Amino acid sequence: MAYDSANIFAKILRGEIPCDKVYEDEWALAFNDIAPVAPVHVLVIPKGAFVSIDDFTADASDAQIAGFYRAVGKVARDLGLAQPGYRTLNNTGSDGGQEVPHFHVHIFGGKTLGPMLVVE
Ligand code: 5GP
């Protein structure tokens, strides 16, 4: 899938629309989700044109990958989530329920989160 530079997270990265920023460094931007489903719900996105974990892990440099995942861990630590814990989630593609086609990791925390998936 080709990267669509008109997606909402690309616009946030370019500063065209605002976000409630939590953290930023050379590799990543983290901001609060506009529709949180937990007391803490932060999105971490890489500063590059990647659709999903599929093309990110195939095409990003080692520095981009390391920098991004270090940022995910740092955000969680800085938010005080390392203890008692938290959840990270990445949705990929239509079966994965991905709405925004710019690779991102959700960080959920601030309460006991329950089972990983709803069993149907
Ligand atoms: P996905 O389903 O792609 O994994 O998650 C996309 C997430 O982006 C959703 O949790 C949704 O609430 C969030 N989101 C969509 N548009 C915006 C926006 O403009 N700003 C922020 N902060 N979050 C957004």
Side-chain angles (χ1 to χ4, degrees), residues 8-9 12 17-20 31-37 41 43 89-93 96-102 104-106 108:
I8 198 89
F9 292 172
I12 287 175
I17 64 169
C19 70
D20 183 12
F31 50 90
N32 286 309
D33 197 291
I34 203 166
V37 296
H41 185 174
L43 302 168
L89 174 75
N90 161 243
N91 295 319
T92 305
Q98 183 176 4
E99 295 172 15
V100 179
H102 181 110
H104 53 281
V105 167
H106 298 251
F108 302 108

Side-chain angles (χ1 to χ4, degrees), residues 13-36:
L13 269 181
R14 292 194 296 265
E16 294 169 7
I17 64 169
C19 70
D20 183 12
K21 183 161 74 175
V22 172
Y23 175 75
E24 182 172 16
D25 65 18
E26 179 182 358
W27 307 109
L29 174 67
F31 50 90
N32 286 309
D33 197 291
I34 203 166

Side-chain angles (χ1 to χ4, degrees), residues 26-27 50 55-69:
E26 179 182 358
W27 307 109
F50 302 103
D55 61 334
F56 185 63
T57 54
D59 301 335
S61 69
D62 290 354
Q64 285 175 306
I65 293 170
F68 174 74
Y69 280 104

Side-chain angles (χ1 to χ4, degrees), residues 5 28 53 63 74 81 98:
S5 60
I53 197 167
K74 177 171 174 51
L81 298 175
Q98 183 176 4

